[in-house]
Amino acid sequence: MATTTATITLSSLDLLSDELALTTTSTLTNAGGATGVTQASGLSRKTLTYDSDAEIIHTALHRAGDYAADKANKVYIKNTSTTPAEFFIIKVGDESLGRLYAGDWAFFPWSATSGTKETFVVTATGTVAVGESWEFDGITTVSASTALNTFAAAVSAQVYPNWTTIVSSAAVTFVARYAASDGVITGDTAITGDVLVESGDGNFTMPITGGTAGAGASSQSDISILPSVRTGMTYETMLIHE
Amino acid sequence: MATTTAAITLTSADLLTDALSLSATNTLYKAGSTVGLDQTTGMARVHLTATTVVDIFPQLIEASIALKINLHGFIFVTNQRMKLNLLQ
Protein backbone atom coordinates (compact mmCIF):
# COMPACT_ATOMS: atom_id res chain seq x y z
CA MET A 1 0.00 0.00 0.00
CA ALA A 2 1.39 3.34 -1.01
CA THR A 3 1.63 6.13 1.51
CA THR A 4 1.16 9.56 0.00
CA THR A 5 1.10 12.65 2.16
CA ALA A 6 -0.25 16.12 1.43
CA THR A 7 0.68 19.05 3.63
CA ILE A 8 -0.66 22.56 3.32
CA THR A 9 0.75 25.47 5.25
CA LEU A 10 -0.72 28.97 5.50
CA SER A 11 1.41 31.50 7.24
CA SER A 12 1.53 35.24 7.79
CA LEU A 13 3.11 37.50 10.34
CA ASP A 14 1.07 40.56 9.49
CA LEU A 15 -2.26 39.57 7.95
CA LEU A 16 -3.76 39.53 11.43
CA SER A 17 -2.78 41.15 14.69
CA ASP A 18 -1.48 37.76 15.74
CA GLU A 19 0.57 35.31 13.73
CA LEU A 20 -1.14 32.99 11.29
CA ALA A 21 0.55 29.60 11.23
CA LEU A 22 -1.77 26.89 9.98
CA THR A 23 -0.49 23.52 8.93
CA THR A 24 -2.52 20.48 8.07
CA THR A 25 -1.29 17.12 6.85
CA SER A 26 -3.28 14.26 5.44
CA THR A 27 -2.40 10.83 4.19
CA LEU A 28 -4.27 10.28 0.94
CA THR A 29 -6.42 7.19 1.21
CA ASN A 30 -9.07 5.52 -0.90
CA ALA A 31 -12.67 6.52 -0.32
CA GLY A 32 -14.03 5.40 3.01
CA GLY A 33 -10.98 3.43 4.00
CA ALA A 34 -7.45 3.55 5.27
CA THR A 35 -5.86 2.06 2.17
CA GLY A 36 -3.52 4.50 0.49
CA VAL A 37 -4.30 5.73 -3.00
CA THR A 38 -2.37 3.77 -5.56
CA GLN A 39 -2.57 5.66 -8.85
CA ALA A 40 -1.33 8.99 -10.15
CA SER A 41 -1.23 10.73 -13.49
CA GLY A 42 2.25 12.01 -12.85
CA LEU A 43 3.13 15.68 -12.79
CA SER A 44 2.64 17.17 -16.24
CA ARG A 45 3.51 20.58 -17.62
CA LYS A 46 2.11 22.24 -20.71
CA THR A 47 2.23 25.64 -22.33
CA LEU A 48 -0.91 26.84 -24.07
CA THR A 49 -0.34 29.23 -26.96
CA TYR A 50 -2.83 30.49 -29.49
CA ASP A 51 -2.53 32.56 -32.65
CA SER A 52 -5.34 34.91 -31.68
CA ASP A 53 -7.56 35.73 -28.71
CA ALA A 54 -10.52 34.28 -30.56
CA GLU A 55 -8.83 30.89 -30.58
CA ILE A 56 -8.42 30.64 -26.80
CA ILE A 57 -10.50 27.72 -25.62
CA HIS A 58 -10.96 25.65 -22.51
CA THR A 59 -8.47 22.82 -22.38
CA ALA A 60 -9.51 19.61 -20.66
CA LEU A 61 -6.99 18.51 -18.06
CA HIS A 62 -8.79 15.51 -16.62
CA ARG A 63 -11.86 13.85 -18.08
CA ALA A 64 -14.27 12.31 -15.61
CA GLY A 65 -15.03 9.39 -17.89
CA ASP A 66 -11.47 8.17 -17.52
CA TYR A 67 -11.72 7.70 -13.76
CA ALA A 68 -13.96 6.09 -11.18
CA ALA A 69 -16.68 8.34 -9.82
CA ASP A 70 -17.11 9.37 -6.21
CA LYS A 71 -13.67 8.27 -5.14
CA ALA A 72 -11.09 10.11 -3.08
CA ASN A 73 -9.40 11.61 -6.12
CA LYS A 74 -7.22 14.70 -5.64
CA VAL A 75 -6.22 17.28 -8.23
CA TYR A 76 -3.22 19.59 -8.14
CA ILE A 77 -2.97 22.48 -10.61
CA LYS A 78 -0.42 25.28 -10.70
CA ASN A 79 -0.09 28.40 -12.84
CA THR A 80 3.64 28.80 -13.40
CA SER A 81 3.36 32.30 -14.83
CA THR A 82 5.35 35.08 -13.18
CA THR A 83 3.27 37.87 -14.71
CA PRO A 84 0.82 38.96 -12.00
CA ALA A 85 -2.07 39.70 -14.36
CA GLU A 86 -1.99 36.29 -16.04
CA PHE A 87 -4.47 33.74 -14.76
CA PHE A 88 -6.15 30.47 -15.59
CA ILE A 89 -9.86 30.02 -15.01
CA ILE A 90 -10.37 26.59 -13.47
CA LYS A 91 -13.65 24.89 -14.24
CA VAL A 92 -15.26 21.65 -13.13
CA GLY A 93 -17.86 20.95 -15.76
CA ASP A 94 -19.58 24.27 -16.35
CA GLU A 95 -18.85 25.52 -12.86
CA SER A 96 -15.99 27.95 -12.43
CA LEU A 97 -13.89 27.28 -9.35
CA GLY A 98 -12.01 30.53 -9.74
CA ARG A 99 -8.85 32.04 -11.11
CA LEU A 100 -5.33 30.83 -10.56
CA TYR A 101 -3.11 33.89 -10.87
CA ALA A 102 0.63 33.83 -11.40
CA GLY A 103 2.25 31.32 -9.11
CA ASP A 104 -1.03 30.19 -7.59
CA TRP A 105 -1.81 26.54 -7.09
CA ALA A 106 -4.90 24.59 -6.14
CA PHE A 107 -5.35 21.21 -4.50
CA PHE A 108 -8.88 19.90 -4.29
CA PRO A 109 -10.96 16.72 -4.28
CA TRP A 110 -12.66 15.54 -7.43
CA SER A 111 -15.70 13.28 -7.69
CA ALA A 112 -15.15 12.59 -11.41
CA THR A 113 -18.82 12.13 -12.10
CA SER A 114 -19.03 11.30 -15.75
CA GLY A 115 -21.79 11.67 -18.27
CA THR A 116 -22.80 9.06 -20.81
CA LYS A 117 -20.86 8.05 -23.87
CA GLU A 118 -23.02 7.99 -26.96
CA THR A 119 -23.23 4.59 -28.64
CA PHE A 120 -24.86 2.98 -31.63
CA VAL A 121 -24.56 -0.08 -33.80
CA VAL A 122 -24.15 0.00 -37.56
CA THR A 123 -24.82 -3.20 -39.45
CA ALA A 124 -23.66 -3.84 -43.00
CA THR A 125 -26.81 -5.01 -44.72
CA GLY A 126 -27.82 -6.15 -48.20
CA THR A 127 -25.20 -6.78 -50.84
CA VAL A 128 -21.92 -4.95 -50.71
CA ALA A 129 -19.86 -4.54 -53.87
CA VAL A 130 -16.16 -3.87 -54.20
CA GLY A 131 -15.60 -0.13 -54.23
CA GLU A 132 -18.67 0.79 -52.23
CA SER A 133 -17.87 2.78 -49.14
CA TRP A 134 -19.07 4.19 -45.85
CA GLU A 135 -17.73 7.35 -44.26
CA PHE A 136 -18.09 8.44 -40.67
CA ASP A 137 -16.16 10.81 -38.40
CA GLY A 138 -13.97 11.80 -41.32
CA ILE A 139 -12.89 8.23 -42.00
CA THR A 140 -13.86 6.41 -45.20
CA THR A 141 -13.86 2.66 -45.53
CA VAL A 142 -13.90 1.26 -49.05
CA SER A 143 -15.02 -2.30 -49.48
CA ALA A 144 -12.40 -4.64 -50.94
CA SER A 145 -14.71 -7.64 -51.06
CA THR A 146 -18.34 -8.67 -51.38
CA ALA A 147 -18.53 -10.11 -47.88
CA LEU A 148 -20.54 -8.03 -45.43
CA ASN A 149 -18.63 -9.34 -42.43
CA THR A 150 -15.34 -8.45 -44.08
CA PHE A 151 -16.54 -4.94 -44.76
CA ALA A 152 -17.78 -4.57 -41.20
CA ALA A 153 -14.40 -5.73 -39.95
CA ALA A 154 -12.72 -3.15 -42.15
CA VAL A 155 -14.98 -0.42 -40.77
CA SER A 156 -14.15 -1.46 -37.24
CA ALA A 157 -10.43 -1.63 -37.93
CA GLN A 158 -10.29 2.06 -38.76
CA VAL A 159 -9.09 4.54 -36.14
CA TYR A 160 -11.79 7.15 -35.57
CA PRO A 161 -10.90 10.46 -33.91
CA ASN A 162 -13.91 10.49 -31.62
CA TRP A 163 -15.12 6.91 -31.44
CA THR A 164 -13.99 3.42 -30.55
CA THR A 165 -15.42 0.32 -32.21
CA ILE A 166 -16.13 -3.35 -31.63
CA VAL A 167 -17.16 -5.66 -34.47
CA SER A 168 -19.35 -8.75 -34.31
CA SER A 169 -20.16 -10.42 -37.64
CA ALA A 170 -21.60 -7.59 -39.78
CA ALA A 171 -22.37 -5.30 -36.86
CA VAL A 172 -20.04 -2.58 -35.64
CA THR A 173 -20.65 -0.98 -32.27
CA PHE A 174 -19.47 2.60 -32.00
CA VAL A 175 -18.83 4.14 -28.58
CA ALA A 176 -17.83 7.78 -28.18
CA ARG A 177 -14.40 8.31 -26.69
CA TYR A 178 -15.78 10.97 -24.37
CA ALA A 179 -19.09 11.44 -22.61
CA ALA A 180 -21.10 14.02 -24.50
CA SER A 181 -24.31 14.62 -26.32
CA ASP A 182 -22.76 14.21 -29.73
CA GLY A 183 -26.08 14.35 -31.54
CA VAL A 184 -25.03 11.61 -33.90
CA ILE A 185 -28.02 9.45 -33.17
CA THR A 186 -31.19 10.87 -34.65
CA GLY A 187 -33.40 7.81 -34.59
CA ASP A 188 -33.47 4.09 -35.08
CA THR A 189 -32.56 4.14 -38.75
CA ALA A 190 -30.36 7.13 -39.28
CA ILE A 191 -27.25 8.75 -37.93
CA THR A 192 -25.94 12.20 -38.59
CA GLY A 193 -22.65 12.57 -40.35
CA ASP A 194 -22.29 9.32 -42.23
CA VAL A 195 -21.99 9.04 -46.00
CA LEU A 196 -22.85 5.83 -47.80
CA VAL A 197 -21.60 5.40 -51.33
CA GLU A 198 -23.03 2.40 -53.08
CA SER A 199 -23.00 1.32 -56.68
CA GLY A 200 -26.57 2.15 -57.52
CA ASP A 201 -28.39 -1.09 -57.09
CA GLY A 202 -29.68 0.08 -53.73
CA ASN A 203 -28.87 -3.17 -52.03
CA PHE A 204 -26.19 -1.95 -49.68
CA THR A 205 -27.14 -0.05 -46.53
CA MET A 206 -25.62 0.66 -43.14
CA PRO A 207 -28.60 1.10 -40.81
CA ILE A 208 -28.16 1.68 -37.11
CA THR A 209 -29.75 -0.16 -34.27
CA GLY A 210 -29.87 0.82 -30.68
CA GLY A 211 -31.58 4.05 -31.48
CA THR A 212 -31.94 6.97 -29.15
CA ALA A 213 -31.33 4.76 -26.13
CA GLY A 214 -27.67 5.19 -26.93
CA ALA A 215 -27.73 8.97 -26.80
CA GLY A 216 -24.93 10.54 -24.81
CA ALA A 217 -24.85 13.15 -22.10
CA SER A 218 -22.06 15.56 -21.32
CA SER A 219 -19.93 15.09 -18.26
CA GLN A 220 -20.58 17.71 -15.62
CA SER A 221 -17.23 17.34 -13.94
CA ASP A 222 -14.46 17.34 -16.51
CA ILE A 223 -11.69 19.62 -15.26
CA SER A 224 -10.64 22.28 -17.73
CA ILE A 225 -8.67 25.50 -17.73
CA LEU A 226 -8.84 28.70 -19.75
CA PRO A 227 -5.77 30.94 -20.01
CA SER A 228 -6.21 34.71 -19.81
CA VAL A 229 -3.76 35.45 -22.60
CA ARG A 230 -2.86 33.69 -25.80
CA THR A 231 0.87 34.33 -25.71
CA GLY A 232 1.91 31.23 -23.87
CA MET A 233 0.84 30.34 -20.36
CA THR A 234 2.14 27.24 -18.65
CA TYR A 235 0.35 25.05 -16.16
CA GLU A 236 1.34 22.01 -14.18
CA THR A 237 -1.10 19.40 -13.00
CA MET A 238 -1.20 16.07 -11.26
CA LEU A 239 -4.09 13.77 -10.50
CA ILE A 240 -3.86 11.30 -7.66
CA HIS A 241 -6.70 8.83 -7.88
CA GLU A 242 -8.06 5.42 -7.05
CA MET B 1 0.84 45.27 3.07
CA ALA B 2 0.28 41.85 4.56
CA THR B 3 2.34 38.94 3.37
CA THR B 4 0.52 35.63 3.48
CA THR B 5 2.14 32.48 2.21
CA ALA B 6 0.54 29.23 1.16
CA ALA B 7 2.60 26.11 0.69
CA ILE B 8 1.80 22.57 -0.31
CA THR B 9 3.91 19.45 -0.33
CA LEU B 10 2.96 16.12 -1.81
CA THR B 11 5.26 13.29 -0.87
CA SER B 12 5.37 9.56 -1.28
CA ALA B 13 8.13 7.05 -1.19
CA ASP B 14 6.12 4.26 -2.76
CA LEU B 15 3.25 5.61 -4.86
CA LEU B 16 5.55 5.58 -7.89
CA THR B 17 8.71 3.67 -8.64
CA ASP B 18 10.61 6.85 -7.82
CA ALA B 19 10.05 9.16 -4.91
CA LEU B 20 7.35 11.79 -5.23
CA SER B 21 8.38 15.08 -3.70
CA LEU B 22 6.37 18.03 -4.93
CA SER B 23 6.48 21.39 -3.24
CA ALA B 24 4.92 24.70 -4.18
CA THR B 25 4.86 27.94 -2.24
CA ASN B 26 3.05 31.10 -3.18
CA THR B 27 2.38 34.49 -1.70
CA LEU B 28 -1.31 35.34 -1.78
CA TYR B 29 -1.92 38.51 -3.78
CA LYS B 30 -4.92 40.49 -4.87
CA ALA B 31 -6.08 39.76 -8.40
CA GLY B 32 -3.53 40.60 -11.06
CA SER B 33 -1.17 42.39 -8.70
CA THR B 34 1.63 41.95 -6.19
CA VAL B 35 -0.37 43.53 -3.38
CA GLY B 36 -0.94 41.04 -0.58
CA LEU B 37 -4.40 39.97 0.50
CA ASP B 38 -5.43 41.94 3.53
CA GLN B 39 -8.69 40.38 4.69
CA THR B 40 -9.68 37.01 6.07
CA THR B 41 -12.69 35.50 7.76
CA GLY B 42 -10.55 33.74 10.27
CA MET B 43 -10.66 30.11 11.12
CA ALA B 44 -13.88 28.37 12.08
CA ARG B 45 -14.56 24.90 13.37
CA VAL B 46 -17.97 23.32 12.93
CA HIS B 47 -19.20 19.91 13.98
CA LEU B 48 -21.81 18.68 11.51
CA THR B 49 -24.35 16.12 12.62
CA ALA B 50 -26.44 15.82 9.45
CA THR B 51 -25.70 14.98 5.86
CA THR B 52 -27.65 17.85 4.41
CA VAL B 53 -25.88 20.47 2.33
CA VAL B 54 -24.43 23.28 4.42
CA ASP B 55 -23.23 26.64 3.16
CA ILE B 56 -19.95 26.95 4.98
CA PHE B 57 -18.99 30.20 3.32
CA PRO B 58 -21.99 32.52 3.37
CA GLN B 59 -19.65 35.46 3.13
CA LEU B 60 -18.26 34.15 -0.11
CA ILE B 61 -21.70 33.47 -1.48
CA GLU B 62 -22.82 37.00 -0.69
CA ALA B 63 -19.71 38.34 -2.34
CA SER B 64 -19.76 35.91 -5.23
CA ILE B 65 -20.78 38.49 -7.82
CA ALA B 66 -17.87 40.72 -6.94
CA LEU B 67 -15.51 37.77 -6.77
CA LYS B 68 -16.53 36.62 -10.21
CA ILE B 69 -15.73 40.00 -11.67
CA ASN B 70 -12.13 40.52 -10.73
CA LEU B 71 -11.30 39.76 -7.15
CA HIS B 72 -9.09 37.01 -5.90
CA GLY B 73 -9.96 34.67 -3.08
CA PHE B 74 -8.71 31.43 -1.61
CA ILE B 75 -10.56 28.71 0.21
CA PHE B 76 -9.03 26.23 2.56
CA VAL B 77 -11.06 23.35 3.94
CA THR B 78 -10.08 20.30 5.90
CA ASN B 79 -12.25 17.44 7.00
CA GLN B 80 -12.74 17.03 10.77
CA ARG B 81 -9.99 19.37 11.74
CA MET B 82 -10.40 23.02 10.89
CA LYS B 83 -11.81 25.40 8.38
CA LEU B 84 -10.47 28.67 7.16
CA ASN B 85 -11.23 30.88 4.26
CA LEU B 86 -9.32 33.86 3.08
CA LEU B 87 -10.92 36.38 0.84
CA GLN B 88 -10.16 39.73 -0.48
Side-chain angles (χ1 to χ4, degrees):
Chain A
M1 181 185 81
T3 301
T4 306
T5 303
T7 300
I8 290 178
T9 301
L10 295 175
S11 58
S12 180
L13 295 175
D14 52 5
L15 175 64
L16 309 168
S17 57
D18 201 352
E19 180 178 356
L20 170 64
L22 186 157
T23 298
T24 186
T25 299
S26 178
T27 298
L28 306 185
T29 58
N30 289 343
T35 303
V37 292
T38 56
Q39 299 185 68
S41 67
L43 182 64
S44 62
R45 179 184 178 97
K46 185 174 178 61
T47 300
L48 299 177
T49 304
Y50 303 89
D51 292 334
S52 68
D53 289 346
E55 295 178 25
I56 298 177
I57 58 173
H58 281 275
T59 297
L61 299 187
H62 307 290
R63 293 185 183 275
D66 295 334
Y67 303 97
D70 296 328
K71 299 298 183 181
N73 309 318
K74 303 294 187 298
V75 178
Y76 169 82
I77 305 172
K78 180 179 180 179
N79 176 1
T80 69
S81 172
T82 56
T83 303
E86 292 184 351
F87 61 87
F88 286 108
I89 294 176
I90 309 299
K91 296 185 75 172
V92 177
D94 293 330
E95 191 72 22
S96 177
L97 287 185
R99 297 176 175 185
L100 278 186
Y101 279 92
D104 286 348
W105 49 263
F107 185 73
F108 56 92
W110 183 40
S111 292
T113 304
S114 182
T116 303
K117 295 179 180 179
E118 200 155 295
T119 182
F120 61 90
V121 178
V122 172
T123 305
T125 304
T127 303
V128 63
V130 174
E132 292 180 331
S133 65
W134 186 71
E135 176 190 338
F136 178 68
D137 202 20
I139 303 297
T140 300
T141 303
V142 180
S143 180
S145 80
T146 57
L148 291 172
N149 289 4
T150 301
F151 181 68
V155 169
S156 182
Q158 301 274 27
V159 178
Y160 297 87
N162 300 296
W163 301 81
T164 60
T165 59
I166 300 171
V167 65
S168 176
S169 299
V172 182
T173 300
F174 281 75
V175 178
R177 293 185 185 275
Y178 303 112
S181 178
D182 295 298
V184 170
I185 299 171
T186 58
D188 285 339
T189 58
I191 58 176
T192 299
D194 71 321
V195 179
L196 178 74
V197 177
E198 67 100 50
S199 58
D201 58 11
N203 286 332
F204 175 49
T205 59
M206 292 283 284
I208 71 164
T209 54
T212 53
S218 296
S219 167
Q220 296 301 307
S221 63
D222 288 353
I223 297 174
S224 63
I225 61 172
L226 182 72
S228 62
V229 298
R230 64 172 180 81
T231 51
M233 287 183 58
T234 302
Y235 68 85
E236 292 181 344
T237 186
M238 181 176 186
L239 171 65
I240 300 172
H241 61 97
E242 295 188 33
Chain B
M1 181 185 80
T3 301
T4 307
T5 303
I8 184 172
T9 60
L10 296 174
T11 58
S12 180
D14 52 4
L15 176 63
L16 311 170
T17 54
D18 205 351
L20 168 65
S21 181
L22 184 156
S23 296
T25 301
N26 191 41
T27 300
L28 307 187
Y29 294 125
K30 294 183 179 181
S33 73
T34 55
V35 178
L37 289 178
D38 55 13
Q39 297 181 64
T40 178
T41 64
M43 186 165 59
R45 181 184 179 95
V46 179
H47 181 60
L48 301 176
T49 58
T51 58
T52 52
V53 175
V54 175
D55 292 336
I56 57 174
F57 301 121
Q59 301 94 334
L60 278 179
I61 294 171
E62 291 177 2
S64 60
I65 296 176
L67 285 169
K68 285 178 180 176
I69 295 175
N70 56 14
L71 299 186
H72 197 200
F74 296 87
I75 300 172
F76 174 79
V77 181
T78 66
N79 182 11
Q80 297 179 345
R81 293 182 183 174
M82 58 195 72
K83 304 180 180 200
L84 170 71
N85 73 71
L86 297 168
L87 69 158
Q88 183 177 339

